[in-house]
Amino acid sequence: MLNKIILMGRLTREPELRTTQSGISVTTFSLAVERDFQRGEERQTDFIDIVAWRGTADFVHKYFRKGQLVAVTGRLQSRKWEDKEGNKRTSFEVVAEEVHFAERKQDSPSYGAPPPAGPSRQSSKQDEALPFDPDAPATFAELDDDDGELPF
């Protein structure tokens, strides 16, 4: 069986981080994904709920903001539940396995916007331990190409 979803769209709201009772991080967010075809003069847009767990949840919550273009790979999952009136309902969401930046930082509508205030964006020791600094200048070494061989 195969259950693989690949999406690219813009975050419709700030990713929301929660922690389960057992201490596992879970982040929920929604993507606005345009369809490939148009009806009339407007493109149709789907709003897709995404859930990320553990390290992926922490990554999304820390680095992604409303309006950013992101690429998500994951799997489709359905949940059955009962509403307040006793009606049976089914919800679909994508469980994210990978979340990637899909545009350059300066092209993002949220570039330069400060992170949202509040307790959900406080730094932790885990944040300080991350070796990646998105604001640091890129450092690349130029390879000597005298012999035409690849270095691997």
Side-chain angles (χ1 to χ4, degrees):
M1 302 294 161
L2 181 62
N3 182 354
K4 189 74 164 180
I5 301 287
I6 302 170
L7 300 167
M8 186 166 18
R10 294 203 179 272
L11 271 77
T12 62
R13 58 184 163 86
E14 295 294 329
E16 181 181 324
L17 178 67
R18 294 186 314 271
T19 306
T20 66
Q21 290 180 347
S22 58
I24 297 172
S25 298
V26 58
T27 297
T28 56
F29 57 100
S30 178
L31 285 185
V33 179
E34 288 185 345
R35 295 183 186 172
D36 287 339
F37 59 89
Q38 288 181 219
R39 254 196 209 137
E41 295 193 18
E42 289 187 28
R43 280 190 176 259
Q44 299 293 307
T45 303
D46 294 304
F47 297 90
I48 301 171
D49 292 325
I50 314 285
V51 62
W53 293 89
R54 297 178 174 78
T56 304
D58 294 329
F59 174 73
V60 168
H61 181 258
K62 183 171 182 174
Y63 293 108
F64 292 90
R65 302 284 178 269
K66 178 181 177 179
Q68 279 185 296
L69 185 65
V70 300
V72 175
T73 61
R75 61 185 165 80
L76 186 63
Q77 176 175 286
S78 64
R79 289 186 291 123
K80 295 184 185 287
W81 52 283
E82 200 170 291
D83 66 15
K84 293 178 183 178
E85 289 81 38
N87 299 317
K88 294 185 184 213
R89 302 284 186 173
T90 302
S91 298
F92 292 91
E93 63 191 5
V94 172
V95 178
E97 295 166 358
E98 297 178 12
V99 181
H100 301 274
F101 297 98
E103 65 187 340
R104 295 181 313 168
K105 191 173 185 178
Q106 58 267 32
D107 292 340
S108 172
S110 60
Y111 177 70
S120 67
R121 287 279 182 198
Q122 292 177 347
S123 64
S124 66
K125 288 189 179 201
Q126 182 181 6
D127 292 339
E128 295 167 9
L130 290 174
F132 176 71
D133 179 4
D135 296 321
T139 55
F140 298 98
E142 191 168 325
L143 297 175
D144 183 18
D145 192 25
D146 289 341
D147 59 2
E149 292 292 319
L150 294 174
F152 46 88

